[in-house]
Amino acid sequence: MQIVVLPGDGIGPEITTATAGVLRAASERFQLNLRLEEHAVGHASLKLSGTTVRPELLDIVRAADGLILGPTATFDFKDEAHGEINPSRHFRKNLDLYANIRPARTYVGRPGRIGDFDLVVVRENTEGFYADRNLEQGNGEMLITPDVVISLRRITRLCCERIAHAACRLAMKRRKHLTIVHKANVLKIGDGMFLDICRAAAKAYPGLGVDDILVDAMMAHVVRRPDRFDVIVSTNMFGDILSDLTAELSGSLGLGGSLNVGHRHAMAQAAHGSAPDIAGQDVANPVSLILSTALLLAWHGEKTGAVRYEEAARAIEAAVAKAIGEGRATRDVGGKLGTIAAGAAIAEILQAG
């Protein structure tokens, strides 16, 4: 399996190094023959090449079996005309990575803030209120006068249908329950269509239980009883906010994996930002990116029928759980290790089997 690795900015290189060590351990144990090909993006690429994402990089990623993107300083990149491209948006849009899969779960030894739970947020990833990706050309946010801004949201039947089916398929592999999160009482046309399409899609999956909750009410429900949820599907911005909340409820945003999936490509990406304030200090938690790469391996295994990749993914997740349970983790999740040592602990557990 050929994987392109883009370390990114801030803590990105540190957590990517830790993640690579875990991947090498998984590759050796499960005979995956992983080949990691590293390229610069973000500020490092801007300094070297005058752009945060070199034009040829997209073709390199398309030719590979998967992509790992470390956190990037997306807020710094405002002017594409001067090479300041948002790497995350660039790959999500150009690879049509329409589903953002965001698991959140609690761990033995590191209880969640409000009890144990295990759920997944499935977020539509290509349209919605995200102004930088909902138009073919230009931006969906417009300055009408110095005092008036209009932001456009795009909702399409195609995108609703494919995210609905992605969520339903995942729910059928888990506890067979789907929750649709929306705001159809106010956004009657756009969210109304999303809700109707999700309900219709769910009928094709016998035994799948379905409910729907308004997004504002959902924030209360998921804080009160996260254990009642299995797979949650929502539009882009609602899903983005909800997935950060559920990850933090599990103990830390640094425990949340994230996989961006399309029909042909997938990108593992840490759920958090580049945290420049702690960069270079060996204190960043690498677990989010490690779990994201486990999701990437599982996706590749399912896509190709190579079961060993799915076995490796489960073993990485188990090694992470064991490391956290034993306190062999970074300080933000109750441990005393640095970034590299925390990654090495997970790799050691993985190698021991």
Side-chain angles (χ1 to χ4, degrees):
M1 181 182 181
Q2 181 78 16
I3 302 176
V4 174
V5 180
L6 310 176
D9 302 308
I11 61 172
E14 296 167 80
I15 65 171
T16 301
T17 297
T19 299
V22 174
L23 285 175
R24 284 191 291 268
S27 185
E28 181 177 343
R29 176 179 166 187
F30 292 94
Q31 299 181 340
L32 304 181
N33 190 29
L34 297 182
R35 301 179 304 280
L36 307 182
E37 177 184 343
E38 186 172 310
H39 295 270
V41 293
H43 281 296
S45 178
L46 190 63
K47 184 177 180 180
L48 289 171
S49 309
T51 178
T52 55
V53 182
R54 303 191 326 272
E56 65 270 23
L57 195 52
L58 185 59
D59 286 335
I60 292 172
V61 170
R62 282 181 172 139
D65 298 305
L67 169 62
I68 297 173
L69 176 63
T72 56
T74 55
F75 193 73
D76 293 349
F77 310 139
K78 297 180 172 66
D79 189 355
E80 290 198 6
H82 289 85
E84 297 176 357
I85 298 166
N86 177 337
S88 177
R89 182 212 63 83
H90 180 77
F91 291 112
R92 289 184 186 193
K93 184 170 183 176
N94 287 292
L95 298 176
D96 198 21
L97 305 179
Y98 63 84
N100 184 205
I101 311 299
R102 294 282 300 271
R105 55 159 291 192
T106 50
Y107 292 90
V108 174
R110 184 66 183 174
R113 302 182 188 280
I114 46 176
D116 294 334
F117 65 90
D118 180 353
L119 58 81
V120 182
V121 176
V122 179
R123 164 197 173 199
E124 202 291 317
N125 214 18
T126 60
E127 56 177 15
F129 275 121
Y130 282 71
D132 64 347
R133 68 201 65 171
N134 64 14
L135 296 182
E136 182 64 25
Q137 289 186 331
N139 193 291
E141 195 167 49
M142 294 162 284
L143 185 66
I144 306 303
T145 74
D147 302 311
V148 177
V149 175
I150 292 178
S151 300
L152 301 178
R153 182 175 80 144
R154 186 188 73 187
I155 299 292
T156 63
R157 182 169 298 276
L158 170 64
C159 292
C160 292
E161 287 176 345
R162 62 187 187 178
I163 198 65
H165 283 287
C168 290
R169 289 192 297 268
L170 180 58
M172 292 298 291
K173 295 177 184 177
R174 289 174 49 92
R175 301 193 301 274
K176 296 186 177 181
H177 188 267
L178 178 71
T179 300
I180 308 163
V181 174
H182 61 92
K183 192 63 176 173
N185 61 328
V186 174
L187 301 169
K188 295 181 184 294
I189 301 175
D191 270 30
M193 183 172 72
F194 174 78
L195 177 59
D196 289 344
I197 288 172
C198 287
R199 285 173 172 165
K203 293 178 181 178
Y205 299 84
L208 179 63
V210 180
D211 61 3
D212 67 270
I213 301 178
L214 295 173
V215 64
D216 47 335
M218 183 63 177
M219 298 302 170
H221 285 295
V222 81
V223 169
R224 184 183 306 122
R225 282 283 311 278
D227 60 308
R228 65 174 279 198
F229 300 106
D230 179 20
V231 173
I232 302 165
V233 65
S234 193
T235 53
N236 200 339
M237 183 170 288
F238 295 159
D240 191 6
I241 296 167
L242 184 59
S243 57
D244 274 12
L245 173 62
T246 54
E248 187 63 29
L249 290 175
S250 76
S252 169
L253 190 58
L255 297 178
S258 176
L259 186 70
N260 303 276
V261 180
H263 290 306
R264 298 179 57 191
H265 305 282
M267 175 175 72
Q269 184 178 20
H272 52 75
S274 60
D277 56 318
I278 59 170
Q281 299 177 33
D282 193 40
V283 298
N285 185 353
V287 165
S288 179
L289 192 60
I290 290 170
L291 289 175
S292 300
T293 59
L295 293 170
L296 179 64
L297 295 182
W299 170 83
H300 181 73
E302 183 178 0
K303 178 185 175 186
T304 62
V307 177
R308 64 188 186 277
Y309 290 95
E310 296 181 81
E311 293 173 343
R314 289 192 292 269
I316 291 172
E317 291 170 350
V320 167
K322 184 174 176 62
I324 293 171
E326 295 176 351
R328 300 169 68 184
T330 48
R331 286 178 171 80
D332 62 305
V333 288
K336 297 181 180 179
L337 301 181
T339 306
I340 302 304
I346 295 169
E348 180 184 330
I349 294 169
L350 188 60
Q351 288 172 321

